[in-house]
Amino acid sequence: MNSPHLWWYITRASAIVAWALMTLSVVWGTLLSTRVLRKVDNPSWLQDLHRYLGGTAIVMVLIHMVTLMLDGWLHFSVANVLVPFSSDYRALPVAIGILGFYLLVAVQGSSLLMRWLPRRFWKAVHYSSYLIVVLVSFHAGLTGTDVAALWYRIVAISIIGLSVVAVLVRVLAGTKATTSRGSASVRSVPDTTVSDTTVRSGDGLATGSAALPLVLDRTTMRVAATFRVSDEVLGLRLVPTTTDLLPVWHPGAHITLALPNGLERQYSLCGDPADRSHFDIAVLQTQPSLGGSSWIHANARPGLELEVTGPLNHFELEPAFSYTFIAGGIGITPIKAMIESLPTRREWHLVYVGRSRKSMAFADELVDRYPGRVLVHASDENAATLNFEKFLQAVETDVYCCGPEALMMRIAAAVPRERLHLERFQPVERAAIGGPQAVMVSCRKSKKNFDVPAGQSILDALEQNGLPILGSCRKGVCGTCEVRVVSGLPDHLDSVVDDEEKDRVGIMYPCVSRATTPDLVLDI
């Protein structure tokens, strides 16, 4: 600690490490956005690593700045490391480094606030990551004292080379997606089907994201192709009406379609998430129909334009060593997308039950593609029902289940809560203790206060008072109306995620939920 060069050594080392981490974060982000790594492993830990690299880069930059001030040779002040051109030492290169630091903070901050921000704004900020690498490269080359050293040149060339590769991959992936947009092929069978009454829910939330209000894009998309998935299921391929790439999504995500008959319906996404030129969905024609599936089956034709909101995901596949998937009927759709996203070496098995093999979408395809891993149990082929309880006693895997409520209740009773992930088509019937009660709602950001009578939903009251909140299913299952709770105790009556999870991150779904306290303060 007494060495006069100690802080200078730390300054140099932290700068090099920060430069490398920034570059790796950009490269990793590129690989994620283009899904080059989609067959390596599950997406969740890959995203966590991307965030970790960026966050650690900021820490190393801060160490670099602090040790510059502690070094007795340059005598940097707080202003010198934070204000461009305030330093006499190589003013322009230092200013470039300071600008790069602020951009890095903006990128990391926008990532943490992603669900608060309009997607176009977030993307614009995030694309500055490439500029950061350029600025830091100039800063390092013009201020570094080791520029002439061989080891420094090797490090610099490696870092700059990785950056160039990342840009090329990004450009080539975008070109490929643009090319494929013009030629939608019906050979790619959609992975996801939901019914009229299907709404997406689940027991998992992305870490750190659930506490933020949703900011979902609504865009106009065109039906590029329609095709039969089974006797009762119609597949649709939706393409954007602009040349923009579609948002990144992961298996389990869904979009909301605003139909011309005034209805809004949620449908799971499918296909390859790496191909951001289109969305594939598939729609089961239910009997009786509530108006959504019957309209789509009767009217969906190539060229039809629809308003699309999302994607949104409350049923995301989480990393695990092995999986057991259980699908009932149309519940196969998000499960199939999950299966296809897994790396080849990952252990998994699927149990797929339904009325008849003819009506079970993708049954034969899954059996052919994954021999030995898929058990199809059609009621018209098997007199006996499956003993799920006995079967699940023998497995110690994470269990993902989607299907009719009766099936999921059986699975939930047989699988420990920590290993269970559910997606519901219908909300679980729940009622407020003592019946609905009036509540005073205060909106902190908009400075609005109003009473919500017992006979009105909080979501309706928010909309009536002009608050910016989306609502879709209005049954407590899609999660679109998610809002953060500042104070008060919500009475959770939804079926989106576990009540303890909602309380932990401080959110509620006001389309059906109310409050156990007379006052409720929302962050909206």
Side-chain angles (χ1 to χ4, degrees), residues 352-366:
Y352 182 14
V353 298
R355 298 192 316 272
S356 68
R357 190 178 292 264
K358 185 177 181 181
S359 67
M360 297 169 68
F362 315 116
D364 292 336
E365 175 188 345
L366 289 169

Side-chain angles (χ1 to χ4, degrees), residues 450 452 455-466 469 474 510-511:
F450 46 85
V452 182
Q456 184 183 32
S457 76
I458 295 178
L459 175 60
D460 288 342
L462 291 170
E463 292 175 335
Q464 183 177 309
N465 284 272
I469 186 169
R474 298 181 182 271
C511 61

Side-chain angles (χ1 to χ4, degrees), residues 195-197 218 255-267 286 289-296 299 306-309 471-475:
S195 69
D196 255 357
T197 54
R218 171 169 280 207
I255 57 174
T256 297
L257 298 187
L259 303 179
N261 63 0
L263 297 176
E264 289 191 352
R265 293 293 182 261
Q266 289 74 40
Y267 299 98
T286 58
S289 171
L290 298 180
S293 67
S294 60
W295 190 94
I296 289 177
N299 298 282
L306 297 169
E307 292 296 309
V308 178
T309 302
S472 184
C473 74
R474 298 181 182 271
K475 297 178 181 179

Side-chain angles (χ1 to χ4, degrees), residues 58-96:
I58 288 184
V59 173
M60 298 308 298
V61 172
L62 291 175
I63 293 175
H64 175 64
M65 297 166 72
V66 170
T67 51
L68 275 174
M69 292 185 286
L70 294 174
D71 180 62
W73 182 62
L74 288 175
H75 301 289
F76 267 69
S77 66
V78 174
N80 294 152
V81 299
L82 294 178
V83 180
F85 300 106
S86 63
S87 170
D88 294 330
Y89 177 78
R90 301 184 183 181
L92 179 59
V94 171
I96 290 174

